[in-house]
Amino acid sequence: MTSHAQDRFSEFYAKWLNQYEANLKELLSVSRDPSHGHLHQALISKVMTHYKEYYTVKWATAKDDVLGFFCPTWFTPLENAYHWMTGWKPSMVFRLIASLHKSQDPVSKIEELRFRIRIEEDRVDREMERQQVSIADKPMVDLSRLATQVKNGEVVGELEKYVDMALSSLLVGLEQVMKMADCVRLKALKGVVEILNPLQSVDFMAAIAMLQIQLRKAGKRADHGKIIKHQKG
């Protein structure tokens, strides 16, 4: 059963995704003439604003239900399988750049950015590990001990109070990890478009959108296939 926050974000995401697909069409159809850099730049700004809207709403919703973003119902299982800390992995963008642009001009700057992003990803991984290990910290151990104190079938002590306190701390930590990861994603996008020229940035943004949309479509086909197989079985 989904929470109200999850339902609310799922509705937002459906609308956001429709605009995302519309943005992709614009990216693919915009003039390829390098002299139209002002058009390319305006389109990139529009796409970046759309990305930022997603994270703004995501962070606001996470205050009510952060766990929903670690097991999102608005993504297919295939999308979730490829996700990292509630979204796409930032280092993915550098593989796309390598396949799109053979020019050597921006390579050194791209490599510097890739190195910085990798360091940021490692920081997020370490923080997530710290949050996972914290489950065995003293407050949680005390909670486990308290839960074993049963008298006449009833738990002795204010168990619910301790549960709420321990859970609250864990949720705050998970929200921090999610935001850290999202910030790295935005840094990767912003960093790349600042290095590439406007037309290259258009190709880059189109490639990311195409990848995410095609992954989603593949996930839906896989889900549909499972349903049909189950019905036949």
Side-chain angles (χ1 to χ4, degrees), residues 3 6 8 10 19 35 42 68 77 80 83 94 99 113-114 119 123 126 147 175 177 188 194 208:
S3 67
Q6 287 175 303
R8 192 170 68 245
S10 185
Q19 182 59 51
S35 67
N80 283 327
H83 278 175
F94 301 103
S99 65
L113 177 63
R114 185 191 65 79
I119 291 175
R123 284 183 57 226
R126 287 196 301 272
E175 186 177 351
V177 169
E194 287 177 349
I208 288 182

Side-chain angles (χ1 to χ4, degrees), residues 49 150 178:
T49 297
V150 179
M178 183 196 77

Side-chain angles (χ1 to χ4, degrees), residues 60-154:
T61 307
K63 292 183 181 299
D64 297 324
D65 183 9
V66 68
L67 290 180
F69 290 93
F70 283 87
C71 51
T73 57
W74 46 89
F75 291 131
T76 65
L78 180 61
E79 289 174 287
N80 283 327
Y82 278 93
H83 278 175
W84 171 82
M85 308 299 178
T86 76
W88 49 273
K89 194 162 188 177
S91 54
M92 170 198 75
V93 304
F94 301 103
R95 290 183 178 272
L96 285 177
I97 294 172
S99 65
L100 287 172
H101 305 296
K102 303 304 181 183
S103 170
Q104 298 300 307
D105 293 339
V107 166
S108 61
K109 291 182 179 179
I110 289 293
E111 279 301 303
E112 289 176 8
L113 177 63
R114 185 191 65 79
F115 181 73
R116 293 200 303 271
I117 291 300
R118 182 56 191 165
I119 291 175
E120 297 269 4
E121 284 180 343
D122 288 343
R123 284 183 57 226
V124 176
D125 284 332
R126 287 196 301 272
E127 180 59 26
M128 185 60 173
E129 183 180 1
R130 192 179 73 82
Q131 294 299 328
Q132 292 170 333
V133 171
S134 71
I135 294 177
D137 283 349
K138 188 176 183 299
M140 297 301 289
V141 173
D142 290 343
L143 178 59
S144 300
R145 186 181 302 114
L146 179 62
T148 63
Q149 297 176 21
V150 179
K151 183 177 182 180
N152 297 325
E154 297 292 332

Side-chain angles (χ1 to χ4, degrees), residues 148-168:
T148 63
Q149 297 176 21
V150 179
K151 183 177 182 180
N152 297 325
E154 297 292 332
V155 176
V156 178
E158 300 176 302
L159 179 59
E160 289 189 2
K161 173 184 174 183
Y162 281 96
V163 168
D164 289 343
M165 289 174 59
L167 180 59
S168 177

